[in-house]
Amino acid sequence: MRLLLRGGVVIDTDPEVVARRADVLIEDGRIAAVGPQLIADPSDVEVIDASERIVLPGFVDTHRHLWQTALRGITVDDDLGTYFDRVLGSYGSRFRPQDVAAGNLMGALECLDAGITTVQDYSHVQSSPAQADAALDALERSGIRAVFGYGPSPLSGGAVDADELRRIMDRRSERIGLAAAAIGPSFTSFETVRADWELADSLGVPVVVHISSSSQIPDPITRLRDAGLLRPNTLYVHGNLLPDSELKLIAESGASVSTTPTVEARMEMGEPLAGRLRAAGVNVSLGVDVVTSAGGNMFTAMHELLALGYKTFTAAEVLRIATVGGARALGLTDVGSLAVGNRADLVLLRHTDINLAGGLHDPIATVVTAAHPGNVDTVLVGGTPVKRDGKLISTSLPAAYEALADSTTYLTA
């Protein structure tokens, strides 16, 4: 299959963020060429007119709990402790496989609708094999690219179920990867930590883990280092309270951090983290985290990150963090930019929409400061359209909405 995106304002993100008028040629799901007037006679290629579009790499959300989509907004006015009690405890204990499926499907469709083509789904609602299968089935149906993080509820304090993670290894595909979603050194025993890290090593999968510093465990990264467990293929989430010395160890290990600015601020997890991560040399990525407390799109997350202050980040740096920074955090080497050979995970925004009008003199700043999900016209994952002309086409949205509504009614009754 050959597809030509003709005449768009094309933004690339690597090795630097640049914008220009160009065509994008896609062959067999990958980017074949980027440049002006690539094909004189397009008779043997499908053409999408991008002359009124901004074309850029799909966003990469490096931390989201998709299963919670049915509980949107339920803890907006609550603190972190109440979130744990209500969402992970009271509501989480009620989730049936069909509730996990409904949340994952609608959450993945929400990502695609907003231009997020890759999501790290941290699934810590697992209490049976049926729930893991339901979550993975939904991800596959949606058409999104995902790294499925399988792990226990942090309320359990337990280890990742080794037999179950091994069982679902054959669910990996071109679009779906796996990770061990460990509870980690900040919140469980070190015997459990060692078992989780050794399991991940044995299966060749990354670790995704929430991290923090407390009076009881002020130095979780140091503890990992001393135990020989620092790995480059580890994604730490949050970490706002970590001292700079711990961030430096993360940088030296080659690992990445996912920061979720809206949720971290709303739940008072500590001062903004991204600037400190950059100063320490850590690869920074962005996540939404939970729609129980925040909006579910990367535009809002970019707005929050840019609002940290003058000279903290430029608009171009924020866009890199939301795309290629996220890809690197997830160990994905062929998404996040428009490099030839990369998978064609792309987003087209209508620059003729009123909120983007007057911004083509600097389309990079315009996307980061002014764009929102309503501007997303077309989304491609591996060259396959999942949204065209402003409408999702990857699966039945009415059916997904009905399943989620039934789930919300059941869970909150």
Side-chain angles (χ1 to χ4, degrees):
M1 175 183 175
R2 303 178 79 209
L3 179 64
L4 182 69
L5 310 181
R6 172 172 278 181
V9 178
V10 176
I11 300 176
D12 201 358
T13 56
D14 193 53
E16 59 182 349
V17 182
V18 294
R20 55 175 171 152
R21 281 279 180 186
D23 299 346
V24 179
L25 179 63
I26 299 166
E27 295 180 349
D28 298 324
R30 292 184 179 270
I31 298 170
V34 180
Q37 301 177 340
L38 290 178
I39 298 179
D41 178 12
S43 57
D44 64 340
V45 63
E46 180 184 352
V47 177
I48 293 179
D49 180 7
S51 59
E52 295 183 346
R53 304 290 182 262
I54 297 172
V55 181
L56 68 156
F59 299 116
V60 180
D61 180 346
T62 56
H63 185 67
R64 189 186 294 226
H65 306 294
L66 287 175
W67 62 271
Q68 297 178 16
T69 308
L71 302 175
R72 187 184 305 277
I74 208 162
T75 56
V76 168
D77 297 323
D78 295 326
D79 60 15
L80 183 60
T82 305
Y83 161 81
F84 269 77
D85 290 341
R86 295 184 68 195
V87 176
L88 301 185
S90 300
Y91 294 117
S93 63
R94 294 173 58 86
F95 269 72
R96 306 162 297 179
Q98 59 262 44
D99 302 312
V100 177
N104 262 45
L105 180 57
M106 185 61 86
L109 293 178
E110 178 184 15
C111 288
L112 292 172
D113 190 56
I116 295 169
T117 52
T118 301
V119 64
Q120 194 285 302
D121 177 26
Y122 193 111
S123 193
H124 55 1
V125 69
Q126 308 301 326
S127 61
S128 72
Q131 289 180 317
D133 287 335
L136 283 161
D137 289 345
L139 291 174
E140 290 173 352
R141 285 177 57 199
S142 72
I144 202 166
R145 193 177 307 284
V147 176
F148 179 70
Y150 173 83
S153 167
L155 299 181
S156 74
V160 175
D161 186 324
D163 291 339
E164 185 63 5
L165 184 56
R166 291 190 183 99
R167 181 187 72 84
I168 63 174
M169 286 292 288
D170 64 0
R171 298 295 302 266
R172 291 181 297 178
S173 68
E174 181 273 321
R175 284 194 296 105
I176 308 297
L178 291 179
I183 294 178
S186 298
F187 308 107
T188 191
S189 71
F190 212 85
E191 291 76 11
T192 298
V193 171
R194 187 180 295 279
D196 286 344
W197 263 247
E198 291 177 352
L199 172 65
D201 284 349
S202 71
L203 296 176
V205 299
V207 171
V208 185
V209 58
H210 297 91
I211 203 77
S212 186
S213 178
S214 66
S215 57
Q216 294 79 22
I217 304 177
D219 55 352
I221 308 301
T222 297
R223 293 187 179 203
L224 289 174
R225 182 202 62 187
D226 292 348
L229 297 180
L230 285 186
R231 304 283 190 272
N233 65 338
T234 304
L235 177 59
Y236 301 98
V237 181
H238 308 313
N240 302 67
L241 298 179
L242 292 176
D244 290 345
S245 57
E246 294 285 276
L247 301 184
K248 190 65 176 175
L249 289 178
I250 293 175
E252 291 171 355
S253 74
S256 299
V257 172
S258 176
T259 181
T260 66
T262 305
V263 170
E264 289 163 5
R266 189 65 182 165
M267 292 190 180
E268 298 184 329
M269 295 184 186
E271 294 298 316
L273 179 64
R276 293 177 56 223
L277 291 171
R278 184 179 67 172
V282 177
N283 179 60
V284 187
S285 66
L286 270 178
V288 164
D289 201 351
V290 290
V291 298
T292 60
S293 304
N297 68 85
M298 194 61 73
F299 297 105
T300 299
M302 290 193 297
H303 298 165
E304 292 278 346
L305 192 58
L306 191 66
L308 288 175
Y310 176 58
K311 289 188 177 180
T312 303
F313 291 102
T314 66
E317 289 168 338
V318 169
L319 188 60
R320 272 183 59 85
I321 288 169
T323 53
V324 70
R328 290 174 178 172
L330 297 180
L332 303 176
T333 59
D334 57 359
V335 299
S337 78
L338 303 186
V340 172
N342 271 11
R343 299 190 186 276
D345 293 1
L346 304 174
V347 178
L348 280 67
L349 309 178
R350 292 182 302 272
H351 65 64
T352 54
D353 286 358
I354 193 167
N355 63 300
L356 302 184
L360 284 189
H361 63 93
D362 190 342
I364 297 163
T366 297
V367 168
V368 174
T369 61
H372 58 61
N375 304 129
V376 178
D377 179 82
T378 299
V379 179
L380 309 175
V381 177
T384 299
V386 292
K387 185 176 184 178
R388 287 289 298 268
D389 301 321
K391 295 181 180 180
L392 287 169
I393 59 175
S394 62
T395 191
S396 171
L397 188 58
Y401 180 85
E402 182 178 357
L404 190 77
D406 289 345
S407 181
T408 299
T409 299
Y410 163 76
L411 292 168
T412 61

